[in-house]
Amino acid sequence: MNATNNSDSDWLFEITPKNKFFSLNFKEVWHYRDLLLLFVKRDVVTVYKQTILGPLWYLIQPLFTSITFTIIFNNVAGISTGVVPSFLFNLAGITVWNYFTACLNDTSDTFKRNASIFGKVYFPRIIMPLSVVVSNLLKFGIQFLIFVIFYLYFYYQGAAISLNFSLLFFPLLVVLMGVLGLGLGMIISSLVTKYRDLSYLIGFGVQLLMYLSAVMYPMALIKEKIPNYAWLVNYNPLAYIIESSRYMLLNVGQLSVSGLIYTFAVTILIFFMGLLIFNKTEKSFIDTV
């Protein structure tokens, strides 16, 4: 008579209650990598599936925003970008900024938007916001390609722009921007499950944050023009990412090592805070959404 072997080794997955302070099970996420790729594909395909221009919106938004900023802030307000063409200066900041806002906005309603899926089947919930960060990399890649095209155009037109060795670290800035957007998005998504009206403030908050992140002006300008309020920008980690990105891409502005260290520390702190709140919320959010 053969006995049935029911040892733990016979099971491929084991679902147990989470009892860790921080829970980011990379092994489990790796097991569900096919689902992660499926969600990435869904995010890319469905966003502009029933639109007239489709993925062209990826290009239209940063171009029109850069033109608007150039007219208002550089031509009308007289903000100088030095030897760098104003349009290219703005396009560099907007391209990086758009990746952050896309990650933040798309993860800020994770629980509300996916409540029907979460209530039917188990999978690591962290996969959903992770898929947003990965899928937005494609959007960022398209917009960055547009920046490269305009960069080459202005370069051959004789603009005083150049690259430097620090460009090798530019991918790390993109990762920092994505992780920061993911962390803040997880915090907001968790709060929205209880406080619905918070979702209406996100758009306004993101717009206000853009003006405090040195997207359309150099950080040095704030210190020069309004030194009493310069701390609003100096303590903003996003401002250091934007400023450092322009330094790497256009060789303009400054690269603050201490500012980047501060940005890295704040990003890690916000990410783990978001992860903690996200894991706590996922246990009971289905009753409040």
Side-chain angles (χ1 to χ4, degrees), residues 74-143:
N74 304 119
N75 295 344
V76 178
I79 294 178
S80 174
T81 57
V83 297
V84 177
S86 301
F87 175 80
L88 195 62
F89 180 93
N90 291 321
L91 185 60
I94 290 169
T95 300
V96 179
W97 170 258
N98 279 348
Y99 179 57
F100 166 77
T101 56
C103 293
L104 175 61
N105 291 331
D106 293 345
T107 56
S108 61
D109 63 345
T110 296
F111 288 115
K112 185 173 66 174
R113 185 174 57 180
N114 300 285
S116 58
I117 301 177
F118 288 166
K120 293 178 180 178
V121 62
Y122 171 79
F123 59 90
R125 307 310 190 201
I126 191 66
I127 280 184
M128 201 64 78
L130 281 177
S131 69
V132 169
V133 175
V134 175
S135 62
N136 280 316
L137 275 175
L138 176 62
K139 178 180 177 181
F140 170 78
I142 295 174
Q143 295 184 352

Side-chain angles (χ1 to χ4, degrees), residues 170-182:
F170 179 70
L172 296 180
L173 290 184
V174 177
V175 172
L176 273 180
M177 194 66 106
V179 173
L180 186 56
L182 174 63

Side-chain angles (χ1 to χ4, degrees), residues 249-264:
L249 297 173
L250 302 173
N251 203 16
V252 65
Q254 59 183 354
L255 183 65
S256 173
V257 176
S258 60
L260 289 177
I261 294 175
Y262 164 76
T263 298
F264 177 80

Side-chain angles (χ1 to χ4, degrees), residues 216-230:
M216 70 292 291
Y217 57 83
M219 287 184 66
L221 182 67
I222 294 296
K223 299 177 182 179
E224 176 185 346
K225 297 294 184 181
I226 45 176
N228 292 335
Y229 297 96

Side-chain angles (χ1 to χ4, degrees), residues 69-70 73-74 77-82 86 89-94 97 207-226 229-234 236 238-244 246 252-254:
F69 282 1
T70 301
F73 293 100
N74 304 119
I79 294 178
S80 174
T81 57
S86 301
F89 180 93
N90 291 321
L91 185 60
I94 290 169
W97 170 258
Q207 290 296 322
L208 180 61
L209 186 60
M210 180 178 67
Y211 291 103
L212 297 177
S213 300
V215 175
M216 70 292 291
Y217 57 83
M219 287 184 66
L221 182 67
I222 294 296
K223 299 177 182 179
E224 176 185 346
K225 297 294 184 181
I226 45 176
Y229 297 96
W231 62 272
L232 291 171
V233 177
N234 292 334
N236 182 359
L238 292 168
Y240 289 104
I241 297 179
I242 299 294
E243 184 79 0
S244 300
R246 282 197 292 254
V252 65
Q254 59 183 354

Side-chain angles (χ1 to χ4, degrees), residues 3-181:
T4 302
N5 185 5
N6 291 325
S7 64
D8 293 339
S9 61
D10 293 337
W11 298 97
L12 182 60
F13 301 110
E14 181 180 1
I15 302 174
T16 58
K18 292 181 179 180
N19 51 17
K20 297 180 180 179
F21 192 65
F22 292 111
S23 180
L24 182 57
N25 193 333
F26 289 104
K27 183 178 180 181
E28 188 178 24
V29 172
W30 175 252
H31 281 311
Y32 283 88
R33 61 188 180 277
D34 292 337
L35 182 62
L36 175 62
L37 294 177
L38 182 64
F39 284 137
V40 170
K41 182 179 179 181
R42 181 200 67 171
D43 293 339
V44 172
V45 173
T46 59
V47 172
Y48 299 111
K49 188 175 182 181
Q50 294 180 322
T51 59
I52 297 176
L53 298 179
L56 287 178
W57 286 112
Y58 289 153
L59 313 179
I60 294 174
Q61 191 271 338
L63 291 178
F64 274 82
T65 305
S66 298
I67 293 173
T68 303
F69 282 1
T70 301
I71 295 174
I72 296 176
F73 293 100
N74 304 119
N75 295 344
V76 178
I79 294 178
S80 174
T81 57
V83 297
V84 177
S86 301
F87 175 80
L88 195 62
F89 180 93
N90 291 321
L91 185 60
I94 290 169
T95 300
V96 179
W97 170 258
N98 279 348
Y99 179 57
F100 166 77
T101 56
C103 293
L104 175 61
N105 291 331
D106 293 345
T107 56
S108 61
D109 63 345
T110 296
F111 288 115
K112 185 173 66 174
R113 185 174 57 180
N114 300 285
S116 58
I117 301 177
F118 288 166
K120 293 178 180 178
V121 62
Y122 171 79
F123 59 90
R125 307 310 190 201
I126 191 66
I127 280 184
M128 201 64 78
L130 281 177
S131 69
V132 169
V133 175
V134 175
S135 62
N136 280 316
L137 275 175
L138 176 62
K139 178 180 177 181
F140 170 78
I142 295 174
Q143 295 184 352
F144 187 74
L145 179 61
I146 297 301
F147 168 80
V148 172
I149 293 174
F150 277 99
Y151 183 96
L152 294 175
Y153 168 78
F154 283 108
Y155 178 79
Y156 286 109
Q157 289 294 319
I161 53 178
S162 61
L163 303 176
N164 54 64
F165 178 76
S166 62
L167 182 63
L168 296 175
F169 299 96
F170 179 70
L172 296 180
L173 290 184
V174 177
V175 172
L176 273 180
M177 194 66 106
V179 173
L180 186 56

